[in-house]
Amino acid sequence: MAADEGADQGGSGFAVVLRRHRLRAGLTQEELAVRAAIGVRTVRDLERGRASRPQRTTVELLSAALGLAAADREAFLAAARGQAPDEALPPTAFLRMPPPPAFELVGRDEDLDELAGRLSATDGPRGVTLVGIAGVGKTSLGFVVAHRVAGFYPGGVAGIVVTDNASAGELAASVAAGFGVGRPEDLTPRFGGRPALVFVDAVERAPEAAAEMLAQLLGRIPTLRFLATGRHPVGLPSERVWPLAPLLTPPTESETTLAEISAYPAVGLFLERLSRVRRTPLEPEEIAPLATLVRRLGGLPLAIELAAARSRVLTVPEILDRYGDRVLDLSRPGGAGPETVVSLRDAVAASYRLLNAGEQHALRRLSMFRYRWSLALAEQITAGTQTDGSDVVHLLDRLLELGLLSVRGSRTFRFRLLDVVRDYGAERAAAEGELLDGRRRHAELLAELTQDIAPDLVGNRLFDAASRLDDVAGDLGAALAFAAREEPEVALRIAASLPRWWRFRGRDVSGRQWLRRLLDDPRTADADPAVRAWAKVGLAQLALEHGAGAEEIESVESAVAEFEHLGLAAGQSTAHTMLAALWMTTGGYSASRRHGEAALALAQRSGKVRDMAVAENNLIWHEIREGDLAAARRRLAAVDQLASDGGDDRLRAVALANLAEVARLQGRPDEAQRLGRRAMIELERIGDPNHRRRLLATIGLALAEAGHSSEAEEVLTRLRVSDDITPDGPAAVVEAAIALRRGDQKLAAEFFGRAADAYEGAHDPRDVVEALVGLIVSTPDAEERAAGIRRLAELLRSNGITLVARELDRLGPEVVAQL
């Protein structure tokens, strides 16, 4: 037999089908050419894939020459039109394993390596089934795996494609034909005790027949293994189920350079498919939309291919705009007529139909979650859907088994429906009239979760509690948006629980907007008084972060009264603490101290060590304001002891940061930067961007004042990166101190002036004092110097601030006399 007439040599799908039928008919290429009245070179080119779309007349001649029956003839013509070989095979057809497909298998290296390892190991499983939603790439991966391990199976590797309504006998006969024997009974002597592998594609088309056929063959032939693909497992005891997940997509926080995002398999596949239909490279403005698009497509290869095909007529931003909110509408024409359509909706629906009614109901409930969720949340949202009494673990296992669900984590698992599955579930929920109720249930669950976590957003528990909220951050946003429209009291419960998290994560502006909107909504006027009171305190806490705390004094005072009426000591203490900070911003220092001492008294009465430490820490500012740095040190020592007794590492770090500032004000820059660096280690571990910003300024000033200008420059670089507030107070004051140390008084004066303007109106007027003192001692302009002195004098008078000894020395007797 000539080399080109032997086993399948690869090529296009039609090449494989043509060669298979010629060999089955027992014809050489020359004999087939004579029968069909065409040139032998035409036959050779077609079998080598050099002409994958032959003319219809040529195909008809070949079909007649091969003597194909009706079913075989239709499949033969379909393959010639470009339909995949496995879609053109009749139920009894067999498929010898061709060489690997010409396209690159994108993003499956780990799956490929592990599957090949399992199937090549002598103690590996008898069978592996790749399961997943249509279009996830099961067949492509299966083909490549089968070729990868072929060398470990001296008995041979063959494959069949299951088609609708095939019987177990027909499938067994196809396997036999694939291995070159006439009957299934001949397989045992054919193998001669040697290992062999059969690849069975699309078992869901005839699941019972496929299971029966494999069970019989495995039972009769101990050396036979199988690799199968399907939307569900075969169901054999010896089977290893392998759910195939979509391709990895760029995270939302990833860079948007092409080099960065193209490293993700989903983007790589899109670019590969894009190159087939578009010659021009991506424009710069298409790169960020591409990352968003593949995320929206959920990394599903079929979705990516369908979207990329639109690049013939649409740019990437246009594809995102047109299909980003309706991914399920992506489809492609197939077959001969418009009635044959492959769409994402059809693909998901096929897997959805494999679920029983209760599982479908549960999936519709789970589709309310937008991101990852825990087992507990799944159990809560699906309560009452499983009429057969099965628990949520069985449900999740079933969804994972069908490839509809992804799971991550080690000690604690978190789950997520595939994006297209979630979209389809929400679509079905709307069709069943369940969507509104499902959204309400989702929002209620998030309200309960945030209220459970809120008390832990303090001390050493803060980081872990914040991380738990981080896990559901996307769902919190969705729940807030829905509930603000439909269930504002539920939205207020969520928002009232989040201020410390919003502040910790630097989201004080958006958090304040949510609370203001919900408190002003007349539909929340009759909400739980405690919830409204906590919301008012949280609103003030967030407003304080960007210099607007004075606007919320009245609402927090009403919260104090409400907490007293309800007998909630924790609320009273928190509200008094907040009022102490708010009154400072308006110059009401006696009121501020009074509220601070009230908070301390409440903490002492209740014996709550941490609350006492917080209250003591807040009173430190008054000692600094009055210039009594020794008293401030004594309070800081008390805070350190109380925080240590309570095991509160975060509060100890904050106290250490405050001690660093006190040391700097005492003229001890080396001690200040040393203490500051120790505090920064802990603050960076636990987060808290606002305290880190203030501490960076303390360290930078201390370094500059000690003459360590290069190290101060490093701190300045960090401030410029981390500070998105304009104008930049902390960065400006550090830059001014560096310039002053280097003798550039004009530049120093310029930046001290910028810092003073930036700090004006903030909740700590001592920052403005710092900047004005620097401006006065550095400016060479007499008029500017006089203006700075007048401004400083007014600031000291209106805020009751006493300059410390270091500042008096810097200004000198002449200036001090004018203050």
Side-chain angles (χ1 to χ4, degrees):
M1 182 180 293
D4 62 352
E5 298 181 29
D8 291 350
Q9 300 296 309
S12 69
F14 179 66
V16 172
V17 174
L18 173 60
R19 188 181 304 113
R20 182 173 59 249
H21 283 296
R22 177 177 62 78
L23 293 174
R24 182 185 295 174
L27 300 172
T28 65
Q29 291 176 340
E30 289 79 6
E31 290 169 341
L32 176 60
V34 170
R35 284 193 183 188
I38 61 175
V40 67
R41 183 169 181 174
T42 299
V43 175
R44 288 174 179 166
D45 286 347
L46 287 171
E47 290 197 1
R48 290 171 178 168
R50 295 176 180 172
S52 59
R53 295 291 183 93
Q55 295 182 0
R56 184 177 180 87
T57 301
T58 301
V59 178
E60 293 283 359
L61 290 170
L62 287 168
S63 174
L66 290 166
L68 299 181
D72 284 345
R73 180 178 179 278
E74 289 300 318
F76 189 76
L77 295 176
R81 289 194 296 267
Q83 191 170 336
D86 57 338
E87 297 176 272
L89 292 171
T92 59
F94 70 89
L95 176 65
R96 285 192 179 92
M97 296 301 299
F103 61 84
E104 180 183 359
L105 193 64
V106 178
R108 298 298 188 191
D109 292 347
E110 290 186 10
D111 289 301
L112 179 57
D113 290 344
E114 190 168 350
L115 283 166
R118 288 174 182 266
L119 287 172
S120 60
T122 56
D123 58 348
R126 290 295 302 277
V128 175
T129 302
L130 307 178
V131 298
I133 194 171
V136 78
K138 304 182 295 295
T139 298
S140 298
L141 178 60
F143 263 101
V144 176
V145 170
H147 279 278
R148 171 76 69 88
V149 302
F152 294 91
Y153 291 93
V157 176
I160 67 168
V161 179
V162 179
T163 53
D164 295 334
N165 302 317
S167 67
E170 289 171 333
L171 294 177
S174 295
V175 172
F179 283 104
V181 297
R183 301 175 305 161
E185 292 78 9
D186 298 329
L187 286 170
T188 301
R190 159 71 172 77
F191 296 146
R194 296 173 300 173
L197 177 72
V198 60
F199 175 51
V200 183
D201 191 31
V203 297
E204 76 278 356
R205 295 176 181 172
E208 294 180 359
E212 181 182 346
M213 177 271 294
L214 283 171
Q216 290 175 354
L217 292 181
L218 293 177
R220 191 164 62 241
I221 309 171
T223 59
L224 181 66
R225 291 184 181 178
F226 73 88
L227 173 63
T229 72
R231 292 175 187 164
H232 57 76
V234 177
L236 300 180
S238 58
E239 175 184 27
R240 167 71 164 87
V241 179
W242 193 279
L244 193 59
L247 298 175
L248 190 64
T249 63
T252 54
E253 67 275 10
S254 65
E255 297 292 331
T256 52
T257 64
L258 185 59
E260 176 78 15
I261 66 172
S262 60
Y264 291 89
V267 176
L269 179 61
F270 187 96
L271 293 174
E272 194 277 332
R273 294 298 187 264
L274 180 73
S275 68
R276 299 185 180 188
V277 298
R278 172 176 151 175
R279 295 181 178 179
T280 58
L282 286 180
E283 298 294 334
E285 60 270 17
E286 292 184 285
I287 296 173
L290 173 57
T292 303
L293 177 61
V294 296
R295 280 195 297 269
R296 189 65 190 89
L297 297 171
L300 188 68
L302 175 60
I304 291 170
E305 293 176 12
L306 295 178
R310 301 304 194 272
S311 298
R312 292 186 179 93
V313 293
L314 298 174
T315 65
V316 173
E318 288 173 334
I319 297 172
L320 176 62
D321 182 63
R322 190 174 186 86
Y323 294 102
D325 292 329
R326 51 188 189 93
V327 171
L328 291 171
D329 290 340
L330 284 168
S331 62
R332 68 181 174 203
E339 73 281 0
T340 307
V341 175
V342 177
S343 73
L344 285 182
R345 183 175 285 101
D346 293 339
V348 182
S351 293
Y352 179 78
R353 288 193 292 270
L354 297 174
L355 302 170
N356 63 39
E359 292 166 340
Q360 290 178 351
H361 189 188
L363 185 144
R364 296 194 296 270
R365 289 273 187 86
L366 290 170
S367 70
M368 300 301 105
F369 289 115
R370 295 186 60 82
Y371 298 93
R372 295 198 174 273
W373 28 270
S374 64
L375 178 67
L377 285 174
E379 190 166 30
Q380 290 172 283
I381 205 166
T382 60
T385 61
Q386 302 297 288
T387 55
D388 61 356
S390 58
D391 67 7
V392 71
V393 173
H394 174 81
L395 169 69
L396 298 183
D397 187 63
R398 173 69 169 152
L399 296 178
L400 187 63
E401 182 182 69
L402 296 179
L404 305 178
L405 184 70
S406 67
V407 57
R408 287 184 185 174
S410 52
R411 286 179 291 182
T412 302
F413 288 157
R414 298 193 66 79
F415 308 89
R416 181 176 181 175
L417 290 175
L418 302 192
D419 294 65
V420 292
V421 175
R422 185 193 65 234
D423 289 352
Y424 185 79
E427 191 176 90
R428 294 309 309 158
E432 299 288 340
E434 302 167 353
L435 186 60
L436 190 60
D437 181 65
R439 297 289 187 219
R440 286 195 179 105
R441 192 181 187 91
H442 174 259
E444 181 66 36
L445 286 179
L446 269 296
E448 293 174 4
L449 180 68
T450 54
Q451 287 180 305
D452 286 342
I453 294 175
D456 292 334
L457 290 167
V458 295
N460 290 341
R461 297 171 295 171
L462 174 61
F463 183 79
D464 289 340
S467 297
R468 290 171 62 196
L469 290 174
D470 293 342
D471 288 339
V472 293
D475 277 286
L476 284 174
L480 267 175
F482 167 81
R485 295 190 307 269
E486 304 291 339
E487 302 286 341
E489 290 191 20
V490 175
L492 185 63
R493 287 168 53 201
I494 296 173
S497 302
L498 297 180
R500 288 173 178 163
W501 178 65
W502 277 325
R503 179 179 176 275
F504 185 62
R505 293 306 187 205
R507 301 171 185 171
D508 44 282
V509 174
S510 59
R512 184 189 179 199
Q513 291 169 345
W514 272 116
L515 284 165
R516 182 77 279 160
R517 170 185 171 182
L518 293 167
L519 283 168
D520 289 345
D521 191 326
R523 294 175 296 173
T524 67
D526 295 327
D528 183 341
V531 171
R532 284 188 61 86
W534 280 114
K536 290 175 181 178
V537 172
L539 178 63
Q541 181 182 25
L542 297 174
L544 189 64
E545 291 302 319
H546 49 276
E551 300 173 16
E552 308 299 340
I553 289 177
E554 185 177 346
S555 64
V556 180
E557 288 181 335
S558 70
V560 170
E562 192 63 60
F563 284 133
E564 289 176 350
H565 176 71
L566 295 171
L568 296 176
Q572 293 177 59
S573 179
T574 303
H576 279 301
T577 299
M578 184 52 55
L579 283 169
L582 297 176
W583 277 112
M584 282 197 299
T585 66
T586 67
Y589 301 109
S590 60
S592 174
R593 184 182 276 276
R594 174 167 50 82
H595 282 291
E597 290 171 347
L600 179 58
L602 280 167
Q604 289 170 336
R605 283 202 298 270
S606 64
K608 293 184 177 179
V609 173
R610 184 183 184 279
D611 289 351
M612 285 189 279
V614 170
E616 289 278 15
N617 189 66
N618 291 336
L619 287 168
I620 290 166
W621 189 90
H622 293 282
E623 314 297 1
I624 296 175
R625 177 179 63 84
E626 296 168 4
D628 193 346
L629 298 181
R633 274 188 173 270
R634 288 194 296 272
R635 281 200 187 273
L636 283 167
V639 172
D640 182 70
Q641 184 61 54
L642 288 166
S644 179
D645 292 344
D648 193 329
D649 295 335
R650 177 180 174 276
L651 188 54
R652 291 192 71 186
V654 171
L656 191 61
N658 287 336
L659 185 58
E661 177 64 8
V662 169
R664 191 185 68 82
L665 291 174
Q666 288 180 316
R668 303 173 183 175
D670 288 332
E671 180 188 359
Q673 63 94 7
R674 178 175 54 80
L675 293 171
R677 291 183 189 279
R678 283 175 52 198
M680 184 61 73
I681 293 172
E682 186 63 24
L683 288 178
E684 286 182 337
R685 183 183 70 81
I686 63 177
D688 202 335
N690 294 301
H691 274 112
R692 290 204 311 270
R693 284 185 58 247
R694 292 190 63 81
L695 181 56
L696 275 174
T698 293
I699 295 171
L701 288 170
L703 288 167
E705 291 161 4
H708 305 304
S709 297
S710 59
E711 293 179 65
E713 286 277 7
E714 294 175 6
V715 173
L716 179 60
T717 300
R718 292 181 64 186
L719 276 169
R720 286 171 175 161
V721 170
S722 64
D723 194 343
D724 60 355
I725 297 174
T726 304
D728 181 356
V733 76
V734 172
E735 187 148 7
I738 293 171
L740 184 62
R741 184 69 185 187
R742 289 175 173 170
D744 191 341
Q745 290 188 300
K746 184 177 180 180
L747 183 62
E750 177 186 343
F751 278 101
F752 276 128
R754 290 187 187 181
D757 292 340
Y759 282 136
E760 189 72 54
H763 68 272
D764 192 347
R766 258 219 140 271
D767 291 333
V768 187
V769 169
E770 175 82 37
L772 288 176
V773 170
L775 173 64
I776 293 167
V777 300
S778 62
T779 182
D781 185 282
E783 185 175 337
E784 187 176 354
R785 180 183 176 88
I789 293 171
R790 290 194 298 271
R791 187 175 172 187
L792 178 59
E794 174 57 27
L795 185 66
L796 296 176
R797 183 194 61 78
S798 60
N799 290 279
I801 295 175
T802 299
L803 295 175
V804 298
R806 169 180 170 275
E807 293 165 336
L808 295 172
D809 289 342
R810 291 183 70 194
L811 292 170
E814 182 181 343
V815 173
V816 172
Q818 300 176 56
L819 297 176

